[in-house]
């Protein structure tokens, strides 16, 4: 049997994950408000069929299936950026949720350029290497 996860500490009165998600949706709009609807679902599936492996993992000599279609250029609700498939990249969840988030922080602060947001960019590979704990 696997190890049990320690119970998460939650200060009294702190919002639950569900309440936090509801609050975030109010602030940025729900997933469907942001364009993630049936049309997106079909486009995403087609893209992943054509691009089945994570771009970031391939750049680090790893082979991992892509499960996420990432918008290289954060679209912030702009439909033109949202549907520009030349700016989509196939990503595993780990690259999308960790490396790409760090890249977007750097981009928002002006420290890196748009082309650095590709998960196979030199900076993305360097960030991924620094984050990986399973490298030997």
């Amino acid at each position: 049997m696997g190890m049990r996860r320690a119970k998460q500490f939650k200060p009294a009165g702190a919002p639950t994950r569900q309440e936090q998600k509801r609050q975030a949706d109010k602030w940025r709009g729900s997933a469907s408000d942001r364009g993630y609807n049936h049309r997106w679902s079909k486009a995403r599936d087609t893209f992943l069929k054509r691009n089945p492996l994570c771009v970031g993992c391939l750049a680090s000599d790893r082979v991992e299936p892509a499960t996420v279609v990432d918008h290289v250029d954060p679209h912030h609700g702009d439909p033109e950026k949202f549907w520009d498939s030349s700016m989509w990249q196939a990503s595993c969840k780990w690259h999308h949720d960790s490396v790409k988030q760090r890249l977007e922080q750097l981009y928002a602060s002006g420290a890196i350029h748009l082309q650095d947001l590709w998960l196979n960019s030199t900076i993305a590979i360097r960030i991924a290497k620094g984050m990986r704990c399973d490298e030997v």
Side-chain angles (χ1 to χ4, degrees):
M1 191 170 181
M3 288 181 52
R4 280 204 161 159
R5 194 177 263 228
K7 192 168 180 178
Q8 189 80 35
F9 172 73
K10 182 176 157 293
T16 64
R17 274 310 277 147
Q18 209 171 18
E19 290 165 342
Q20 289 173 344
K21 187 178 175 340
R22 253 195 305 274
Q23 193 57 45
D25 281 353
K26 242 190 255 177
W27 170 70
R28 65 184 194 154
S30 70
S32 62
D33 290 343
R34 295 190 319 271
Y36 298 99
N37 52 25
H38 181 68
R39 180 180 169 212
W40 166 253
S41 187
K42 282 172 48 179
R44 174 196 171 280
D45 291 348
T46 300
F47 188 83
L48 289 176
K49 275 190 186 91
R50 291 180 183 154
N51 304 275
L53 301 175
C54 174
V55 171
C57 289
L58 285 174
S60 301
D61 296 322
R62 298 170 69 93
V63 177
E64 293 291 332
T67 55
V68 178
V69 175
D70 175 58
H71 292 86
V72 176
D73 188 358
H75 60 84
H76 302 293
D78 176 342
E80 203 163 310
K81 282 184 180 182
F82 187 92
W83 290 108
D84 180 2
S85 61
S86 71
M87 293 299 283
W88 295 353
Q89 63 185 335
S91 173
C92 66
K93 186 165 172 36
W94 181 81
H95 266 95
H96 180 265
D97 294 356
S98 54
V99 178
K100 184 63 190 299
Q101 301 311 308
R102 181 70 188 119
L103 290 169
E104 285 188 13
Q105 290 168 349
L106 292 168
Y107 181 63
S109 73
I112 63 172
H113 302 285
L114 179 62
Q115 67 266 22
D116 298 319
L117 294 176
W118 289 94
L119 292 170
N120 56 2
S121 71
T122 308
I123 184 129
I125 294 166
R126 211 167 40 239
I127 288 170
K129 252 190 188 37
M131 288 180 160
R132 284 227 180 264
C133 57
D134 59 356
E135 297 281 295
V136 179

